[in-house]
Amino acid sequence: MIIATDMPEVAQCSVTQCAYNSDDSCHARAITIGDGDNPGCDTYFNNSSHTRSHRAAGVGACKVESCDFNDDFECSADSIQVGKEGKSVKCKTCTCH
Ligand code: SF4
Ligand code: SF4
C-alpha cells in the first residue's frame, strides 16, 4: 500500500553530498528534522552515490517543539529549506535561528 499524506515540501536543500540530494533538491520520500532544540536533518546521509528519484521530499516529522511552525510534533510550514550551518545540516526555516 502506498500511503499518501500531506506534508510540507522540502523546497530546497543545498547539501549536495547527501545521498538524497540532486540538483539542490531533496528526493527522499520524507525526512525527519530535529533533535531537541537543534533543527538538524536526521535523514542526512553522506554518500558518494545519489538517488535516481525526482520526487519532491516531504517533512514527515519534526522534533523541534520550540519552532513556531511545530504543531503536535509535525511541521506546519508550507515548505522548508535545508542547508549547511558550519559543519551541521539544518532546517533553515526554523524560527529558532
Ligand atoms: S533535506 Fe536532508 S535528506 Fe534531504 S537532501 Fe538535504 S540533507 Fe539530505
Ligand atoms: S520549520 Fe520548524 S517545524 Fe518545520 S521542519 Fe523546520 S524546525 Fe521543524
Side-chain angles (χ1 to χ4, degrees):
M1 183 172 73
I2 300 289
I3 299 173
T5 183
D6 288 336
M7 291 182 277
E9 183 180 338
V10 183
Q12 202 246 341
C13 176
S14 58
V15 187
T16 52
Q17 62 269 52
C18 177
Y20 296 106
N21 193 295
S22 62
D23 302 325
D24 280 333
S25 296
C26 180
H27 304 289
R29 184 164 291 162
I31 67 166
T32 300
I33 294 288
D35 177 14
D37 287 334
N38 170 20
C41 178
D42 267 10
T43 312
Y44 170 57
F45 174 35
N46 189 336
N47 199 43
S48 56
S49 68
H50 290 249
T51 180
R52 296 183 306 275
S53 169
H54 295 290
R55 75 163 76 89
V59 184
C62 176
K63 294 176 268 181
V64 186
E65 285 184 78
S66 56
C67 177
D68 290 347
F69 290 114
N70 197 293
D71 181 16
D72 200 23
F73 315 109
E74 310 281 2
C75 180
S76 66
D78 288 339
S79 65
I80 70 161
Q81 300 206 350
V82 177
K84 284 214 143 191
E85 238 177 63
K87 290 191 171 163
S88 308
V89 175
K90 305 243 171 148
C91 172
K92 298 277 199 186
T93 310
C94 188
T95 57
C96 47
H97 291 289

